[in-house]
Amino acid sequence: MCGRYAASRKPEDLAGLFEVRKWDPTEAIAPDWNVAPTKDVYVVLDRPVRDSGSPEPVRQLRVLRWGLVPSWAKTPEGAARLINARAETAHEKPSFRRALAARRCLIPADGYYEWLTAAEERQLEEQGKKKRSRKQPFFVTPTDGSVFAMAGLYEFWRDRTLPVDHPRAWWTTCTVITTAAETTDLAGYEGEGPRSLADIHPRMPLMMPPDRWNAWLDPATTEPDALRDLLAAPPPGLLRAFPIGTAVSNVQNNGPELVEELAAPEEETLF
């Protein structure tokens, strides 16, 4: 799954990296080293500019709330539960299938956090049962220092208890797509600690390589086969994972020190 991640890049850097043509500097948000559900986050998306008079999609950098509220929801109260959409089933789930067909985005990150769990705990997670307390946190990030572009979906929701011109009349929210965690060796694995991402957790955010960005963001990409190809796991060997301090487990903690690599885990692991 993806329940926490780091996003420290400046909006102007993201705009250049993703070839953004429209973004509002007044909506800038501060670097966040402990992004949690319901927070405002940067997303990259392609859609027509409102009131522009043109139907052509434009690459935009927008600020959305993490936790998707389906357009048909009566209230936004379930948003915190819809922070992830499974790549394998998003096309059939009422909460995600419309967005998958027409409202896809990229969610830039430095990397994401995951907590090592024992084998029996991972089985409980896979069965949808409650797992025990979190253990040693790890930070997962691209080996080359590039942006971790997580595949995402976004949606619009109208709060009909408010007048249409109210600043909170419309909610724009997003979710991170996840996939089965890689079972191949992590980059730099030297025989100690978790060998693969699957050894840490059975799920991971779906990382979109740059050669898929345009097709993923293009609203004209609607064919099921094309979407299925885009939802395939990226090539292995692009990511590394290392233990970090347990301070990240408290969402109130924030700062670059959260992603400092430890020489040895703080808490006992199973390796």
Side-chain angles (χ1 to χ4, degrees), residues 10 15 22 29 35 39 81 83 98 124 143 148 154 180 191 194 205 227 239:
K10 297 178 180 179
K22 184 181 185 302
I29 53 180
V35 182
K39 280 190 172 183
R81 297 193 299 271
I83 61 171
R98 291 182 182 176
L124 291 175
T143 58
F148 191 114
Y154 69 97
L227 291 173
L239 301 171

Side-chain angles (χ1 to χ4, degrees), residues 2-267:
C2 178
R4 210 83 65 78
Y5 68 92
S8 69
R9 299 182 187 241
K10 297 178 180 179
E12 54 268 31
D13 294 334
L14 294 175
L17 176 64
F18 289 99
E19 300 181 343
V20 167
R21 293 172 53 197
K22 184 181 185 302
W23 64 284
D24 186 351
T26 65
E27 294 183 349
I29 53 180
D32 194 337
W33 299 91
N34 206 348
V35 182
T38 73
K39 280 190 172 183
D40 287 343
V41 300
Y42 284 124
V43 308
V44 178
L45 53 85
D46 283 7
R47 67 178 294 108
V49 176
R50 186 178 181 182
D51 300 327
S52 68
S54 172
E56 293 300 315
V58 173
R59 182 70 49 87
Q60 303 178 44
L61 182 67
R62 300 274 294 272
V63 175
L64 276 58
R65 179 174 295 193
W66 184 20
L68 189 137
V69 180
S71 60
W72 43 261
K74 293 182 179 179
T75 73
E77 295 176 358
R81 297 193 299 271
L82 295 180
I83 61 171
N84 292 161
R86 295 174 71 96
E88 302 88 340
T89 59
H91 68 283
E92 62 188 24
K93 297 294 184 180
S95 296
F96 306 125
R97 61 191 180 197
R98 291 182 182 176
L100 179 62
R103 288 179 290 279
R104 299 178 299 273
C105 63
L106 294 171
I107 304 175
D110 301 309
Y112 71 98
Y113 301 110
E114 196 53 84
W115 285 257
L116 181 69
T117 55
E120 62 270 21
E121 294 178 58
R122 290 198 294 272
Q123 291 176 0
L124 291 175
E125 172 103 357
E126 291 168 349
Q127 296 167 8
K129 299 178 181 178
K130 185 176 180 180
K131 65 180 182 180
R132 285 174 277 172
S133 59
R134 287 172 169 169
K135 294 181 180 289
Q136 174 63 48
F138 281 76
F139 187 57
V140 183
T141 188
T143 58
D144 60 2
S146 61
V147 68
F148 191 114
M150 301 185 291
L153 307 173
Y154 69 97
E155 191 59 274
F156 297 98
W157 180 78
R158 169 77 165 92
D159 186 347
R160 300 193 180 281
T161 66
L162 300 173
V164 69
D165 58 349
H166 192 282
R168 295 299 298 171
W170 284 94
W171 292 46
T172 313
T173 58
C174 63
T175 189
V176 174
I177 295 180
T178 68
T179 190
E182 294 179 2
T183 57
T184 53
D185 286 3
L186 284 161
Y189 177 71
E190 297 179 349
E192 297 182 0
R195 184 168 187 165
S196 69
L197 289 176
D199 286 336
I200 301 174
H201 193 277
R203 306 291 296 177
M204 63 177 285
L206 177 61
M207 180 181 177
M208 278 283 164
D211 60 0
R212 298 185 193 175
W213 289 356
N214 288 340
W216 176 252
L217 294 176
D218 188 352
T221 304
T222 58
E223 290 297 324
D225 288 345
L227 291 173
R228 191 176 301 110
D229 290 344
L230 291 170
L231 289 169
L238 300 179
L239 301 171
R240 72 185 191 104
F242 52 84
I244 55 175
T246 54
V248 72
S249 298
N250 184 339
V251 73
Q252 301 300 320
N253 295 328
N254 210 312
E257 67 278 2
L258 295 183
V259 298
E260 291 179 0
E261 183 171 0
L262 298 181
E266 282 189 2
E267 297 191 4

